[in-house]
Amino acid sequence: GAGVSQSPSNKVTEKGKDVELRCDPISGHTALYWYRQSLGQGLEFLIYFQGNSAPDKSGLPSDRFSAERTGGSVSTLTIQRTQQEDSAVYLCASSLRGEGTEAFFGQGTRLTVV
Amino acid sequence: LAKTTQPISMDSYEGQEVNITCSHNNIATNDYITWYQQFPSQGPRFIIQGYKTKVTNEVASLFIPADRKSSTLSLPRVSLSDTAVYYCLVGPRGNNDMRFGAGTRLTVKP
C-alpha cells in the first residue's frame, strides 16, 4: 500500500494477556517509530528503529514492552501481561532518513485492556 | 534535542488567521523546525518544515526570526476543520529521532 498500515485497528484483551501489534511501514523507509497516545494526551515516544542500527528503546515504559523489526521492514510491538493502564492508541510512523524529518503515521491500534 | 514550549490550547473563529508560537531557546545550528497536525482519531501529519526566515506552502506559513529561538505557525483563514492539535518539533534534518511535546490544541468556533 501507499501508506503506513497498522493491524489490528482495534484490540480488546483481558488483563494479564499478551498482545502483538503490527506495523507495515512505507516501502523503502528506513526509520520506524512507535508511540502511545492515551485519551486526550500527547504522543509518548516508545521506540525508534533506524536501518540496521540498534533501536532506541529509551521510551519503553517497562520490561513488559518490547519491539522488533524484521528485515528492516515490518515491526511488531509486544506487550506482555497487559495492564489496564496500557489501554491507549498505539501509533506507528515511518520516514525516509536523509530526506527531512517528515514522518508518515498509520491510523493506529486502539488497545483496550479489560 | 532542543526542548520546545507551546501554548496548551488556543481558540479562534472561522475566517481568522491563527498564529501558534513555539519556543526553542536551545536550538542547535543544524536543527530544523517541523510542525505536525493531528485530527481526532488520526495519526499526526506533516504540515511544514523550515530552517530560517519564512516558508510557505498550500496549508500554512512558518515564520522563523533570525535568532531561531522561536517559530510561529500561521494558518490563514481557519475553518472548523482546522480544529486539531498542532505539534512543534526541533531536530537535525535527517535525524529521525522524533519526540513530540504536548502540542497546542486549536479549537475553531463558528
Side-chain angles (χ1 to χ4, degrees), chain A residues 37-38 45-46 51 76 85 93 101 110:
Chain A
Q37 188 168 38
S38 300
F45 168 84
L46 296 178
T76 302
E85 60 263 29
T101 55
R110 181 174 298 277

Side-chain angles (χ1 to χ4, degrees), chain A residues 58-95:
Chain A
S58 60
L60 295 178
S62 76
D63 59 8
R64 295 188 295 106
F65 289 72
S66 63
E68 62 178 24
R69 188 177 185 193
T70 55
S73 181
V74 173
S75 178
T76 302
L77 177 69
T78 301
I79 309 174
Q80 296 179 310
R81 305 181 302 281
T82 52
Q83 304 294 315
Q84 288 188 326
E85 60 263 29
D86 299 334
S87 296
V89 175
Y90 290 82
L91 288 158
C92 173
S94 71
S95 68

